[in-house]
Amino acid sequence: MSDSPTKIERERAGYVRMRTQPARTRDQRKGTGPMFEPSYYRRCQCKGPLKDKEGKPVLDTDGKPKIGDIGLTCPKLSKGHGTWYFYFEAERGEGNKRARIRRGGFTKLDDAKKKAKELYDAATAGTDVLSDETCGAFFLRWIKAKKSLARTTRHGYEEHIKNYLLPHLGHIKRRDLKVRHLDKMYDAIEKENAERILHRLRVHQLQKDRDTAHQAWVKTAGYAKREERRVTRRAFLDANAALREGKKGLRKVTSAATMHRINDTLSSALTWGIKREQAFSKNWAQLVELPPVTRPKPLVWTPERIEHWKRTGEKPGPVMVWTPELTGQFLDFVKGDWLYELWHSFIFLGPRRGEMAALPWTEVSTDALWLRVSQQIVEVAYKLYGEAPKADSVRTLPLSLESGDNLVGFRAKQERQRREWGEAYVETGRVWTHENGEELHPDWISRRFTRLVELSGLPPVRLHDLRHLAATLSLLAGTDIKVVQEKLGHSSRQITSDTYTSVLPEMMRAEAESVMAVVPRDVPFVVRSPLEIPEAAWQGDIAVFFAHGARQSENSWAIGAQTQPDSDLVGMITLSGRGQDDAANAAVKWVRDHCTANDLELVRVENFNNRYPEDQRSDFSLTHFMIARSEAPGLDGRALPTGLPPTPGRPSRRIA
């Protein structure tokens, strides 16, 4: 087909030239841009005798009429036969090369006009509507051009391109890509997910059949059952072979979170194409609707959840956090492990595993008590690569005295191992190593931690969950969220608050009791013996004591104040109340009145009612109080200090 129809072809094709045009652009008014004057015509796919420009038959070498495509000269075109086509001139390219945009196959003329305007607007905006590049070629060109990607980010992009974008979008021409193609891709992924789920269910059943066959084989041990054992052994081997065959082609289910990451990869590619070369008219990835993703909220291993886990083996959620008590039990269990100091650092400092694997001794000061996170080890397909972390993750972490002593002790252990291994010892300069000095693989660290948790019998948590734990323990200790953010190496405090903090029961109790303490409740009570805090209960200007309540009859309670569980009462009240809440409110009112009358300050109130077993909670209450003397010594009449405060002497932590 020639670039423009002949006069005869125009007449037969129903040729139409648009004479009424929209307002011209500034470049067009100056004469530097092409006019938007599309030509519309019909053509079909009919075959017949060919004719030249003058309308004469075209003959072959035998003198017979040549048969070919007569799409523009078909006599049926004037009767609504065929489809509509258009072409128009675009801005000339390099070397003043002519650029003609042509499309066809439209059933209605209005559809052709709409498409022509769409392409004209895209071409005017700079989009290369003439390119025949496929999306697959574009994605590969894009990932090759991205020079500044982190290694793990690049690996993730390449996986998405290989497994999803190329199979589903690679064949589509870049200029034709629309949001409907993306919708079809995600629909296909969800269909594949359904098939993969069924495959996994079949494999699960095959595993159960294999395990059952193995148990039957084991039960036939012994010479007397040798015939039966031969049959059960064959059944086990067959079941095991069926399991191996069933596992072939087994693939993970693509989760909603993974689909969002795929879409992020696609969006990044389209954004790059738009900014660099106007390769797309829109970022179609931003118009896709995907299943929502809810970030799993960290849950605390409460006694009720632990009991459920022991009974069923099920975790309440994917992200679990130990309580301080469970954390202490784990540290006690791994006290003799070679990497005890590493587990201690994970719990109290909250680093990433790659940061600990890369930490060199040159970035640690056991005298000044700090370590600097400036390197990390990343794993791609189980291969290790060293690279700098993100700018927000480069940070200096202060160490406690215990953490500093741990590092000193671990370095001493390394020195002993260096002498024992001799020339076979591997010098890496890393802080955390195997006994022979070899560096730790991040994935090995995770697997070792998981194994230690299994051996300890504690409810399971992942190594990465220790970051949640470190943040939660810091908040429990009253640390500001900004300090926790810098400790974990996050770019904003919002990420820290939303992602790495869970609410421990201790924090929930403190919050609940702090609210209760500021809202006085008028619960009538009778003072049987006045509250008198003995001098021995005071530690400086702070005193701590408990109010223990016990039900005497259906609606009668007695509450006694004690400085220790086994000490004498230092005051007592009685009241008529319906339950624990009334008893606790009466105790708070009693202590508050005492503080007001004696110029004391009620600092903190904690309710320990939930410490009682379930069957005793209706009959007992326990409230913890902390009060302070208001006449604490001030600065009146005292000389203000000047200069630097004296530094306490401390022995050096260096290894001789």
Side-chain angles (χ1 to χ4, degrees):
M1 183 177 65
S2 61
D3 283 347
S4 59
T6 65
K7 182 178 180 180
I8 297 176
E9 291 171 339
R10 292 178 192 148
E11 293 174 352
R12 294 183 178 179
Y15 177 84
V16 179
R17 169 77 73 176
M18 294 296 294
R19 297 298 182 185
T20 304
Q21 304 299 337
R24 293 185 298 171
T25 64
R26 183 173 59 182
D27 289 341
Q28 291 170 346
R29 291 195 297 269
K30 291 180 178 180
T32 58
M35 290 288 291
F36 180 47
E37 296 181 348
S39 299
Y40 301 91
Y41 56 93
R42 283 182 178 274
R43 67 165 295 157
C44 64
Q45 304 298 323
C46 294
K47 304 290 184 178
L50 297 179
K51 296 182 180 181
D52 59 18
K53 293 183 178 181
E54 297 178 357
K56 297 179 180 180
V58 178
L59 304 178
D60 58 16
T61 56
D62 298 332
K64 296 179 181 180
K66 183 178 288 187
I67 305 299
D69 184 3
I70 59 170
L72 289 172
T73 59
C74 180
K76 300 178 184 179
L77 291 179
S78 59
K79 302 177 182 179
H81 178 63
T83 55
W84 285 97
Y85 284 71
F86 69 83
Y87 69 89
F88 63 85
E89 299 292 334
E91 184 178 357
R92 291 180 177 267
E94 295 182 5
N96 202 29
K97 185 178 180 181
R98 184 181 182 183
R100 173 168 289 183
I101 299 173
R102 186 190 307 273
R103 296 289 189 276
F106 301 97
T107 305
K108 299 179 181 179
L109 177 59
D110 288 341
D111 293 339
K113 292 178 179 180
K114 183 179 179 181
K115 185 64 177 181
K117 185 63 170 64
E118 177 186 330
L119 290 177
Y120 175 77
D121 291 341
T124 303
T127 304
D128 184 7
V129 296
L130 291 172
S131 174
D132 287 329
E133 183 181 37
T134 62
C135 288
F138 170 77
F139 293 143
L140 296 176
R141 182 164 60 87
W142 163 71
I143 195 64
K144 185 178 180 181
K146 297 291 287 183
K147 305 297 184 183
S148 60
L149 292 177
R151 196 180 303 272
T152 51
T153 304
R154 176 179 295 279
H155 179 70
Y157 284 173
E158 290 174 345
E159 288 289 306
H160 294 160
I161 292 173
K162 174 185 175 183
N163 296 331
Y164 302 99
L165 301 185
L166 289 183
H168 295 285
L169 304 177
H171 63 285
I172 301 172
K173 287 186 178 181
R174 189 189 72 192
R175 69 190 187 197
D176 296 333
L177 183 67
K178 295 293 183 291
V179 69
R180 67 175 182 273
H181 299 118
L182 277 58
D183 289 335
K184 289 181 180 179
M185 176 179 71
Y186 292 116
D187 289 344
I189 291 175
E190 291 184 344
K191 183 179 179 181
E192 291 174 359
N193 279 343
E195 296 172 354
R196 292 176 186 180
I197 291 173
L198 291 176
H199 190 181
R200 288 186 169 273
L201 290 175
R202 290 195 296 269
V203 170
H204 180 69
Q205 183 60 46
L206 290 173
Q207 287 176 331
K208 291 178 62 176
D209 295 343
R210 191 273 311 269
D211 294 342
T212 301
H214 183 264
Q215 292 174 2
W217 178 33
V218 171
K219 291 179 180 179
T220 59
Y223 183 78
K225 299 180 178 180
R226 60 186 182 278
E227 293 298 330
E228 183 182 357
R229 182 173 178 80
R230 184 178 296 109
V231 175
T232 56
R233 179 178 181 274
R234 171 47 54 191
F236 165 70
L237 293 177
D238 292 342
N240 199 40
L243 176 60
R244 288 198 304 270
E245 184 66 24
K247 283 185 175 181
K248 292 182 179 179
L250 184 65
R251 296 184 62 184
K252 293 196 306 182
V253 175
T254 304
S255 65
T258 301
M259 283 193 277
H260 278 267
R261 288 194 290 270
I262 295 169
N263 204 59
D264 290 341
T265 301
L266 179 58
S267 179
S268 178
L270 299 186
T271 299
W272 180 86
I274 293 172
K275 290 181 178 179
R276 288 282 297 267
E277 51 198 43
Q278 288 291 330
F280 305 92
S281 57
K282 293 181 181 179
N283 188 335
W284 304 111
Q286 296 178 354
L287 304 179
V288 174
E289 293 188 13
L290 295 174
V293 176
T294 303
R295 186 185 296 274
K297 183 179 180 181
L299 300 177
V300 180
W301 277 113
T302 59
E304 294 79 10
R305 289 168 179 161
I306 295 175
E307 179 62 29
H308 176 77
W309 166 72
K310 289 181 177 179
R311 187 173 63 255
T312 64
E314 298 176 355
K315 289 176 59 177
V319 182
M320 301 301 299
V321 178
W322 284 327
T323 61
E325 291 78 10
L326 295 173
T327 304
Q329 293 176 28
F330 175 76
L331 289 175
D332 291 340
F333 177 78
V334 298
K335 188 69 176 178
D337 186 73
W338 164 256
L339 293 174
Y340 163 77
E341 294 81 1
L342 175 60
W343 313 129
H344 186 281
S345 299
F346 273 121
I347 289 172
F348 291 102
L349 300 180
R352 301 175 179 88
R353 64 179 190 176
E355 295 170 346
M356 285 288 96
L359 183 65
W361 279 112
T362 55
E363 294 297 293
V364 176
S365 174
T366 54
D367 283 330
L369 293 177
W370 57 260
L371 65 82
R372 178 173 172 78
V373 176
S374 59
Q375 303 176 33
Q376 66 175 345
I377 297 292
V378 297
E379 177 218 334
V380 178
Y382 210 77
K383 292 183 179 180
L384 299 182
Y385 302 92
E387 62 181 35
K390 296 179 181 179
D392 296 313
S393 296
V394 176
R395 60 201 186 277
T396 299
L397 300 178
L399 303 176
S400 65
L401 289 174
E402 182 177 358
S403 296
D405 290 339
N406 283 339
L407 286 169
V408 172
F410 190 78
R411 194 164 195 174
K413 290 196 300 184
Q414 277 186 332
E415 291 295 332
R416 290 194 295 270
Q417 291 296 324
R418 180 180 285 106
R419 290 192 294 269
E420 292 180 8
W421 284 82
E423 295 182 356
Y425 190 82
V426 181
E427 296 289 352
T428 61
R430 307 286 191 196
V431 173
W432 310 111
T433 63
H434 292 285
E435 288 90 335
N436 66 345
E438 290 183 355
E439 62 184 23
L440 301 178
H441 192 292
D443 188 59
W444 183 91
I445 297 175
S446 296
R447 288 186 284 108
R448 176 60 180 168
F449 175 77
T450 300
R451 180 56 178 161
L452 288 174
V453 173
E454 291 175 353
L455 293 174
S456 69
L458 294 171
V461 298
R462 304 171 304 163
L463 179 66
H464 193 74
D465 294 341
L466 297 186
R467 279 175 65 79
H468 301 263
L469 177 60
T472 306
L473 293 176
S474 294
L475 293 174
L476 180 62
T479 306
D480 186 82
I481 190 70
K482 181 65 177 178
V483 177
V484 178
Q485 169 207 332
E486 295 176 354
K487 174 180 180 179
L488 297 178
H490 290 155
S491 58
S492 69
R493 61 189 299 166
Q494 188 65 37
I495 295 177
T496 307
S497 178
D498 292 346
T499 308
Y500 288 106
T501 59
S502 54
V503 181
L504 288 171
E506 290 82 353
M507 298 174 67
M508 297 172 64
R509 281 199 302 271
E511 189 276 337
E513 297 310 322
S514 64
V515 172
M516 186 184 74
V518 299
V519 181
R521 300 293 300 277
D522 187 13
V523 180
F525 58 88
V526 177
V527 178
R528 296 302 181 186
S529 59
L531 180 61
E532 296 182 2
I533 309 300
E535 193 62 31
W538 292 90
Q539 299 292 329
D541 295 312
I542 300 294
V544 177
F545 61 94
F546 297 86
H548 174 222
R551 188 191 296 272
Q552 293 181 311
S553 61
E554 183 176 358
N555 292 321
S556 177
W557 285 75
I559 300 177
Q562 296 174 282
T563 57
Q564 297 292 335
D566 55 350
S567 64
D568 296 333
L569 294 180
V570 295
M572 182 177 177
I573 62 173
T574 58
L575 68 142
S576 296
R578 292 172 295 179
Q580 285 182 323
D581 290 341
D582 284 350
N585 286 326
V588 172
K589 183 68 167 57
W590 178 36
V591 175
R592 190 184 298 278
D593 291 346
H594 176 79
C595 291
T596 301
N598 293 275
D599 196 21
L600 300 174
E601 179 182 358
L602 181 57
V603 177
R604 185 170 183 177
V605 180
E606 292 183 273
N607 192 324
F608 290 161
N609 289 343
N610 60 354
R611 299 286 183 91
Y612 290 102
E614 191 69 34
D615 58 344
Q616 299 181 13
R617 291 187 182 180
S618 61
D619 297 325
F620 297 99
S621 73
L622 185 63
T623 311
H624 172 267
F625 295 93
M626 180 183 295
I627 61 176
R629 289 169 171 159
S630 300
E631 63 274 10
L635 294 176
D636 296 340
R638 298 178 60 186
L640 295 177
T642 59
L644 294 175
T647 302
R650 188 160 58 89
S652 173
R653 295 175 177 271
R654 299 184 182 277
I655 300 297

